[in-house]
Amino acid sequence: MVFKALIVILGLITLPVTRAALTRRVACPDGKNTATNAACCALFPVMEDLQQNLFDNGECGENAHESLRLTFHDAVGIGSMGGGGADGSIILFDDVESVFQANAGILDIVDAQKPFIARHNLSVADFIQFAGALAVSNCPGAPRLPVFLGRKDATEAAPDKTVPEPFDPLDTIFARLADAGGFDPISTVWLLTAHTIAAADLVDPTIPGSPFDSTPGRFDTQVFLETALRGTLFPGSGPHQGEVQSPIRGEIRLQSDHDIARDSRTACEWQSFVNNQAKAQDRFTDAFAVLTILGSNQDDLIDCSEVIPQPAPFTGQATFPAGLSNADIEQACGETPFPVLATDPGPMTSVAPVPES
């Protein structure tokens, strides 16, 4: 099974991290930091530059969200259709890949990252993945994601249609992710934990910056709860006819998330993340560990995960936004009841858009 193969890969990936904890540390040339491998010292000045000048002194804002998105859009370009995986092609060949429909809006973060790449001696492939892992560390409740160095930069663009789109049929999405990285429907749900800190500008251009849940600045499980709420169909006969919109004003719901939360193959796994912060952290780390090295032999890479700061914790609970309750859940998992959760006090309000950085 694909899922079993993924677990084997994960087991191989975690071994170097364990060994690294037992390795003697070396002093970095900056006189401030140490590392288990001297090659990792190169990441400290990159981190300082990114935190100060791209991530607004460590905020979980739009550039952080978009940097995480970029890791996926670069890495998933691999498989039977071609492409080299996490190889930097989305920046190196941005004139080609940015016009792909699935990559709409990607040029903003590509252009924002280019000056940093020019200032630092990292491959573009390594930079994209490092920036994404660092970005996530700025979001309270996030896991500390793995970082590796040593990827080879792309020599050609990835082909079109390697990035799934939110309006694709689920069979198409599942087949594409299985082909790209061995992700089965269950581990696809793990990948989608990234949507806890996601927003969209161009899924519906009339509402730019719309978050996928009510807490886009925090890595929590609200997206799994709020996507399970009963939605309403977009009115009229425009391009969004037949899509389901969130009952929470200001929030956008991807059709693919809506469908995966209700599909018999994934509904129970989706629901299992609700109010389960530890699972959200652990399973996203597992999925990202596979994604971030697609196209490389992990044995040829250097584990620099220790460079990533420990994210601030989130110890709260998932709650229904004001005005909503368990009665508003569209139950799709037939195996277990939906968790009983508290409702935020006050009248229902609108979720603010994620401001541009």
Side-chain angles (χ1 to χ4, degrees):
M1 293 177 62
V2 173
F3 183 65
K4 290 182 178 179
L6 179 64
I7 294 298
V8 171
I9 294 170
L10 292 173
L12 294 175
I13 287 173
T14 56
L15 285 174
V17 179
T18 303
R19 294 193 193 105
L22 303 177
T23 304
R24 183 177 178 179
R25 305 184 68 81
V26 298
C28 294
D30 62 10
K32 298 184 297 182
N33 296 291
T34 62
T36 55
N37 189 306
C40 301
C41 290
L43 292 176
F44 288 109
V46 185
M47 178 172 65
E48 292 178 5
D49 194 5
L50 285 170
Q51 291 288 59
Q52 181 176 352
N53 299 308
L54 184 66
F55 300 141
D56 301 319
N57 295 313
E59 288 189 7
C60 183
E62 183 185 34
N63 281 339
H65 302 169
E66 289 298 302
S67 291
L68 176 58
R69 180 189 181 211
L70 195 63
T71 66
F72 175 79
H73 283 241
D74 189 46
V76 78
I78 191 172
S80 61
M81 300 171 66
D87 61 0
S89 67
I90 201 161
I91 288 181
L92 291 165
F93 298 93
D94 59 320
D95 58 328
V96 176
E97 295 191 32
S98 66
V99 301
F100 299 161
Q101 183 171 311
N103 290 336
I106 208 80
L107 269 180
D108 288 345
I109 191 61
V110 166
D111 289 342
Q113 287 192 5
K114 280 183 176 180
F116 295 88
I117 294 171
R119 288 199 291 269
H120 299 285
N121 188 27
L122 286 183
S123 70
V124 177
D126 285 344
F127 182 91
I128 290 173
Q129 299 301 318
F130 175 65
L134 180 63
V136 173
S137 75
N138 292 323
C139 304
R144 193 183 191 192
L145 295 178
V147 167
F148 298 94
L149 292 183
R151 300 171 187 82
K152 295 180 180 179
D153 277 345
T155 57
E156 60 183 7
D160 197 3
K161 307 298 183 182
T162 56
V163 180
E165 298 193 52
F167 308 115
D168 287 342
L170 291 192
D171 285 349
T172 301
I173 294 173
F174 292 150
R176 174 77 280 273
L177 290 174
D179 180 51
F183 296 100
D184 69 357
I186 295 298
S187 50
T188 295
V189 174
W190 303 358
L191 271 177
L192 293 175
T193 306
H195 287 177
T196 180
I197 53 171
D201 287 330
L202 297 178
V203 174
D204 185 343
T206 66
I207 47 174
S210 299
F212 294 177
D213 72 10
S214 58
T215 57
R218 188 171 70 210
F219 192 103
D220 56 19
T221 66
Q222 285 294 132
V223 70
F224 293 102
L225 163 60
E226 294 170 18
T227 307
L229 291 165
R230 190 175 295 104
T232 57
L233 291 178
F234 276 92
S237 58
H240 297 286
Q241 184 182 22
E243 297 169 25
V244 180
Q245 58 186 353
S246 172
I248 303 169
R249 291 193 299 272
E251 181 177 298
I252 197 167
R253 178 182 295 183
L254 295 186
Q255 187 64 38
S256 52
D257 284 358
H258 176 90
D259 293 344
I260 289 172
R262 289 158 178 79
D263 188 88
S264 61
R265 293 165 288 184
T266 48
C268 289
E269 183 67 11
W270 189 277
Q271 179 179 296
S272 73
F273 281 90
V274 176
N275 207 31
N276 193 338
Q277 184 71 15
K279 181 173 183 177
Q281 293 173 329
D282 291 345
R283 296 291 82 78
F284 183 65
T285 301
D286 291 344
F288 186 83
V290 174
L291 179 79
T292 196
I293 64 168
L294 289 179
S296 296
N297 183 337
Q298 195 261 332
D299 290 338
D300 296 333
L301 303 179
I302 299 168
D303 180 6
C304 294
S305 304
E306 63 185 2
V307 173
I308 297 295
Q310 184 65 48
F314 169 67
T315 57
Q317 301 291 310
T319 57
F320 286 101
L324 299 167
S325 69
N326 278 79
D328 298 293
I329 290 296
E330 188 172 20
Q331 181 70 26
C333 175
E335 297 176 9
T336 56
F338 202 86
V340 176
L341 304 170
T343 296
D344 294 336
M348 182 178 291
T349 60
S350 179
V351 180
V354 176
E356 293 185 6
S357 299

